[in-house]
Amino acid sequence: MTTWVKSRRMSPLPVDRAPAIINVLIVDESDFSRACMVAGLKSTPELTIESCAAVAEHEPAVPPNLVLFQISGPANYPALAEQRALAARRWPRAAALVVSDHVDDGEIVAAIRAGAQGLLTSDASVACIRSAILLLVNGAGVYPAALADLLQLETTDASAAPPTPSSPVEPGRLATLTKRQREVVQLLALGFSNRAIAEQLEISESTVKVHIRAIMAQNGASNRTQVVAHFLKGMQQ
């Protein structure tokens, strides 16, 4: 799969402190596919490999420099967002790489919203995955070339015609939200579930639902998707 590399303003590890030995944690609920990934990477001398079925079930011997999430397809992205959020809280400096059986435009966006700095398909070679790990730990991002096409298309569409609101929410109204409500909207935009938002903000899931209902009522939205769409639109302006 052709990939392109995008540098990030903030990297999990500064380039001049990238470790000589990279600790990789492989997260995959499938015992078989997890064992295959471990077998494929364990012969790489600069990598130490640990694996688990879920982040909450494992305490690595040393903090990982990179967490590799291996998933089977679109149905796993909601769980991926929660797994990534937990990993980010436990190891905030670790990069995140997603390896998925199938990748389309929607899944690229879902992976990025889940906090992945890299995305590959499972048919990528061991050498490709190894190279992606090295790039990610050194502060780069690795995504399918289709992401460049998506960004180019969005830029072209934006310049070709004036923006047309997709919902009754006025972007300016988001500025009237409370600090907590803005935090909820930001996590919604990242694809977090109500449960994941509650864990991230250390509040109850019922409180999250109250905030979402208040945000929708205050901004004239009929659903949470409209609020998120205008939040993302406001970030691009």
Side-chain angles (χ1 to χ4, degrees):
M1 177 183 65
T2 303
T3 61
W4 66 289
V5 179
K6 175 184 176 184
S7 62
R8 298 199 311 280
R9 188 171 298 176
M10 293 184 66
S11 60
L13 289 171
V15 173
D16 60 352
R17 294 179 57 189
I21 300 297
I22 299 170
N23 302 312
V24 176
L25 175 62
I26 297 171
V27 180
D28 186 348
E29 64 180 7
S30 167
D31 293 340
F32 178 75
S33 60
R34 186 171 70 248
C36 290
M37 182 65 73
V38 170
L41 294 177
K42 69 178 182 180
S43 61
T44 305
E46 63 266 39
L47 304 181
T48 61
I49 310 295
E50 292 191 54
S51 69
C52 61
V55 172
E57 300 173 1
H58 184 69
E59 183 61 48
V62 292
N65 304 117
L66 179 138
V67 182
L68 189 159
F69 299 94
Q70 194 166 220
I71 61 177
S72 59
N76 297 102
Y77 275 96
L80 170 64
E82 296 186 19
Q83 290 284 306
R84 170 55 184 157
L86 178 56
R89 290 196 297 271
R90 295 182 65 181
W91 313 295
R93 294 173 64 81
L97 170 62
V98 173
V99 178
S100 177
D101 286 351
H102 174 73
V103 173
D104 59 22
D105 293 352
E107 290 169 45
I108 294 173
V109 175
I112 294 173
R113 286 180 175 174
Q117 291 92 24
L119 176 63
L120 296 173
T121 53
S122 56
D123 59 357
S125 67
V126 172
C128 180
I129 296 174
R130 172 186 172 277
S131 296
I133 291 172
L134 296 176
L135 287 166
L136 288 165
V137 172
N138 279 281
V142 181
Y143 300 104
L147 179 58
D149 297 333
L150 281 175
L151 294 175
Q152 184 177 13
L153 180 61
E154 287 186 2
T155 302
T156 302
D157 290 346
S159 61
T164 301
S166 58
S167 79
V169 183
E170 297 178 10
R173 291 188 182 181
L174 292 177
T176 66
L177 301 180
T178 66
K179 179 177 182 293
R180 179 64 83 192
Q181 288 172 342
R182 287 196 298 272
E183 291 173 342
V184 170
V185 173
Q186 289 170 348
L187 293 174
L188 281 175
L190 290 172
F192 280 41
S193 66
N194 288 353
R195 179 180 177 183
I197 292 173
E199 292 178 354
Q200 181 76 12
L201 300 180
E202 298 182 346
I203 57 179
S204 69
E205 190 170 349
S206 60
T207 300
V208 172
K209 293 178 182 178
V210 170
H211 282 308
I212 292 175
R213 286 196 295 269
I215 293 166
M216 290 168 56
Q218 184 175 343
N219 291 280
S222 59
N223 56 62
R224 54 199 280 165
T225 302
Q226 292 179 350
V227 174
V228 171
H230 279 74
F231 171 75
L232 294 174
K233 187 174 182 179
M235 291 178 61
Q236 296 171 354
Q237 294 176 344

